[in-house]
Amino acid sequence: MSARVGYVGLGIMGGGMAANLLRAGFDVVVHNRTADRAEPLAAAGAEVADSPRGVAERCDVIFTCVSDTPDVEDVVFGTDGIAEGARAGSLIVDTSTVSPEATRGWAARLAEQGVGFLDAPVSGGSEGAAKGTLSIMVGGDPSNVERALPYLEAMGSTITHVGPVGAGQTCKLVNQILVVTSMLGVAEALVFAKAGGLDLEKTIAAVEGGAAGSWMLANRGPQVIRDDWRPGFTIDLQQKDLRLVLEAADELGVPTIATSTIFHLYRTLQRAGLGSEGNHALVKALERLAGIEARQDA
Ligand code: NAP
């Protein structure tokens, strides 16, 4: 059974990750709520099950990648969910970005039926999922991590066991704080540069190689100044993650001032109907306050 692996949730991320499991030579059994999304995987050689339960009945290691906390609840504990098909000794590995607290609750519930659980949220976007170069932050028992490693290595290039169950999700939220605060800095800097009469392309080129350089500046800065709002990660999903940060920070009793401000800036953009734009459209919230658009002159 060990070369057989299940995958539930074949969206932008899950579809890429499952394809990489196939490419690595594993026998893969997949399920997606919307059946036609499983077709490319079936064409590439995956077996298709008609429910998450069906995946768990055929595999003893099952990956999940769905949208939000209630969706993981659905696919794991809902009717025809993974928990109904899993046996003692099965292992569930959740790669979605969801609540650390809910994650710990699921692991405890599954442990009662002898089923192991790892949280293994990912970073690296759709490109990383497709290329198998994700950064994967894993929480759980070392023996379960070791068991999942061959699969994780097929999907990611940086795999870090960060602590017990829930720690992977907490680390992913750390990642999200860093992503959005970095983007706020890029946005504020570009609006300021435009107000100061600078050429924006030259400005980015001048500063990106020094201490001010960042992934966001190098990758999303050029998109901003060229009016390109195609998403690597949408504002709506980004907001979901910031809500998770704010909830976890409340539980921890720690202030998250920058994240809170950014959450509300994104909220103004959602109200303007821009939730499906990329998270770099954060700049538009500042542009509206400043009355200046940070675009490159033609
Ligand atoms: P997506 O393309 O919208 O896919 C979501 C997947 O979840 C689909 O397969 C969807 O099924 C399934 N799903 C949602 N609710 C469900 C439910 N209640 N029951 C069964 N299936 C359900 O999203 P994605 O970009 O792949 O993101 C998936 C997860 O990865 C999210 O937690 C996200 O935050 C995280 N993530 C995304 C990125 C990124 O750049 N996109 C990066 C890192 C992490 P249907 O096809 O039937 O709708």
Side-chain angles (χ1 to χ4, degrees):
M1 284 287 272
S2 62
R4 204 158 197 229
V5 61
Y7 213 107
V8 176
L10 306 170
I12 293 174
M13 299 300 287
M17 288 192 261
N20 280 321
L21 288 171
L22 273 174
R23 257 177 234 126
F26 295 109
D27 293 331
V28 185
V29 181
V30 297
H31 169 78
N32 195 64
R33 179 180 60 182
T34 306
D36 59 11
R37 246 175 153 174
E39 280 166 13
L41 272 297
E47 243 183 88
V48 179
D50 60 8
S51 66
R53 174 190 178 140
V55 175
E57 284 169 347
R58 289 188 232 173
C59 306
D60 54 7
V61 177
I62 308 110
F63 281 80
T64 53
C65 189
V66 294
S67 306
D68 201 351
T69 309
D71 306 313
V72 178
E73 293 252 11
D74 274 358
V75 298
V76 177
F77 297 107
T79 306
D80 284 330
I82 294 167
E84 286 184 12
R87 295 166 293 280
S90 295
L91 175 65
I92 299 173
V93 185
D94 180 34
T95 65
S96 324
T97 304
V98 293
S99 156
E101 183 162 13
T103 292
R104 287 186 283 271
W106 300 328
R109 222 170 131 184
L110 289 162
E112 287 171 14
Q113 69 179 92
V115 173
F117 188 91
L118 294 174
D119 47 312
V122 303
S123 165
S126 52
E127 301 97 324
K131 290 184 191 152
T133 55
L134 292 168
S135 293
I136 310 182
M137 298 148 251
V138 192
D141 290 345
S143 59
N144 286 335
V145 178
E146 200 178 317
R147 188 172 167 198
L149 206 54
Y151 308 113
L152 296 171
E153 282 174 344
M155 301 186 284
S157 47
T158 306
I159 294 138
T160 312
H161 182 200
V162 290
V165 161
Q169 293 296 352
T170 304
C171 189
K172 171 71 188 186
L173 298 184
V174 168
N175 183 84
Q176 298 309 71
I177 293 171
L178 291 166
V179 162
V180 296
T181 53
S182 174
M183 189 58 227
L184 183 66
V186 169
E188 188 166 297
L190 290 176
V191 171
F192 176 86
K194 186 74 181 182
L198 294 178
D199 179 282
L200 295 179
E201 263 173 19
K202 284 185 185 163
T203 303
I204 292 175
V207 301
E208 72 179 342
S214 67
W215 188 95
M216 273 293 179
L217 181 65
N219 291 278
R220 301 301 178 225
Q223 272 193 267
V224 166
I225 69 174
R226 289 180 208 134
D227 217 7
D228 174 358
W229 309 108
R230 284 174 299 170
F233 193 56
T234 65
I235 287 175
D236 284 341
L237 273 180
Q238 184 68 84
Q239 266 311 62
K240 182 262 298 182
D241 290 358
L242 297 192
R243 172 177 52 73
L244 293 171
V245 172
L246 298 179
E247 285 169 4
D250 190 36
E251 284 152 20
L252 294 169
V254 65
T256 42
I257 297 157
T259 307
S260 170
T261 301
I262 297 166
F263 177 84
H264 291 293
L265 290 171
Y266 276 127
R267 178 51 48 82
T268 67
L269 299 177
Q270 286 179 305
R271 288 201 61 84
L274 304 182
S276 60
E277 293 196 351
N279 58 354
H280 53 295
L282 179 61
V283 72
K284 292 186 179 177
L286 302 193
E287 290 171 351
R288 284 162 195 212
L289 291 172
I292 294 166
E293 288 194 345
R295 289 317 151 259
Q296 181 69 21
D297 293 327

